[in-house]
Amino acid sequence: MNIVVIGKSGQLAFELQRILATAEHNVTFLARHDVDITSLASIERTLSALSPDTVINASAYTAVDRAETELEACNAINAIAVKNLAMYCKQAKAFLVHVSTDYVFNGLKGSPYLTNDKIEPQGAYGKSKADGEKALLEVLPEASCIIRTAWVYSAHGSNFVKTMLRLMSDKPQLGVIDDQIGTPTWAHGLAQACLWAGETNTAGVFHWTDEGVASWYDFALAIQEIALEKGLLNKTIPILPIPSSQYPTPAKRPHYSVLDKTKTREIFTSCHLVHWRKQLSAMLDELKANN
C-alpha cells in the first residue's frame, strides 16, 4: 500500500514510524514544512505527487488551555484541515484515518460513552475536534475512520507520564486531580489501531483507549509505583488527591470521559486492547532502555 501520514513530530506519528519501519508499505511522513494542511491547494499539490491509497491524519492542535485564546489556530488544524483532507481523499479515492478525542463529550453521562452518543464539547479544543468529525462525516462517510482516544502518552515528546516523573524527582510532594475520570492510552497501541484501520479500509466511528478506568490521581500513583520498581525513580513522595476546583484551568475538562470500546473489540479483531497499567509498564521499560 501507499500510505501518507500527516504529521511527523507528535507522539502518534513517532509510534507509526516505529511500526511502519518494518511494514511492507510505501510510507511517507509529512511535516508542517512539507504540506500546509490548512490549504486545500497545498494538500492537492503535495499528495497528488504521492498518490496515497490511505492517509492517516496524525496531526492535531492539542494545547487544550491555549486553545481558549488561540481559536483560529486551533480551528484551522482540527477542523478546516480535516475537511481539506477529506475533500482531497474523496476526489483521489483514498481512505482517511483521523484521530479525535474524548473531549467531544460533556463528561456528565457517568457511564462509558458510546460512539453514537451525543457530542457536546465543553471547550474550544473539544469543539474544534467535534467540528472536524462533522466535516469528515459529511464529506467522506464511506471512506473514513474516526478513532476517538484519550490521555495519550509515549516515550516520545511531552505528556503526563514524563511530566509526573520529572516532578516526582524534583518536588517534596504533589497534588493531583482525582475527580476527572478517563483512561490512559499508550500511543503505541493507538498507532497499531490507526494502521489496521487504514490497511483494511474500516469505515466508521470507533473508540480506542487502553482498558480500565482511572483518575489522574490513580494514574500518578501508578506511575510512581511502577517507576520505583524499574529504578526510574529513587524515592517515594506523598501524592495527594485534590479536586479540580483547587487547580483551575482556562479550559473546562470533562469529569467523566471513559470511552466504550465494545464496537472496537468486535471490529478491530487484529488489534488487542490491553489494561492501561500493563501498557504503562511497557512504556516505562522503553523509557528506561532509552535512558
Side-chain angles (χ1 to χ4, degrees), residues 239-257:
I239 301 174
L240 308 177
I242 62 171
S244 299
S245 58
Q246 283 190 27
Y247 192 79
T249 56
K252 187 177 179 182
R253 287 159 165 79
H255 278 288
Y256 184 96
S257 60

Side-chain angles (χ1 to χ4, degrees), residues 114-269:
L114 304 171
T115 55
N116 60 354
D117 276 338
K118 181 183 178 184
I119 285 178
E120 193 177 8
Q122 299 296 287
Y125 164 71
K127 185 179 184 304
S128 71
K129 295 295 285 186
D131 288 345
E133 285 190 14
K134 290 171 187 172
L136 179 50
L137 291 171
E138 284 171 7
V139 175
L140 198 69
E142 303 301 321
S144 65
C145 181
I146 293 171
I147 300 178
R148 296 191 188 118
T149 191
W151 299 22
V152 178
Y153 67 90
S154 77
H156 172 79
S158 301
N159 53 67
F160 183 79
V161 177
K162 293 171 77 175
T163 297
M164 285 296 107
L165 290 172
R166 176 174 52 80
L167 293 175
M168 288 166 187
S169 294
D170 296 344
K171 301 287 186 183
Q173 73 173 37
L174 286 178
V176 182
I177 289 169
D178 71 344
D179 59 359
Q180 290 176 20
I181 311 297
T183 309
T185 307
W186 187 22
H188 187 73
L190 174 62
Q192 290 174 323
C194 289
L195 178 58
W196 189 84
E199 288 175 331
T200 58
N201 288 7
T202 299
V205 180
F206 297 90
H207 290 163
W208 183 279
T209 65
D210 293 333
E211 293 282 33
V213 176
S215 66
W216 290 109
Y217 171 70
D218 296 325
F219 194 15
L221 287 179
I223 292 165
Q224 177 172 251
E225 177 190 329
I226 298 171
L228 282 164
E229 290 173 1
K230 297 181 185 299
L232 286 163
L233 293 172
N234 56 22
K235 70 178 191 300
T236 301
I237 64 167
I239 301 174
L240 308 177
I242 62 171
S244 299
S245 58
Q246 283 190 27
Y247 192 79
T249 56
K252 187 177 179 182
R253 287 159 165 79
H255 278 288
Y256 184 96
S257 60
V258 177
L259 300 176
D260 183 284
K261 297 178 288 290
T262 304
K263 182 179 169 185
T264 304
R265 292 187 197 96
E266 293 171 353
I267 304 295
F268 283 61
T269 52

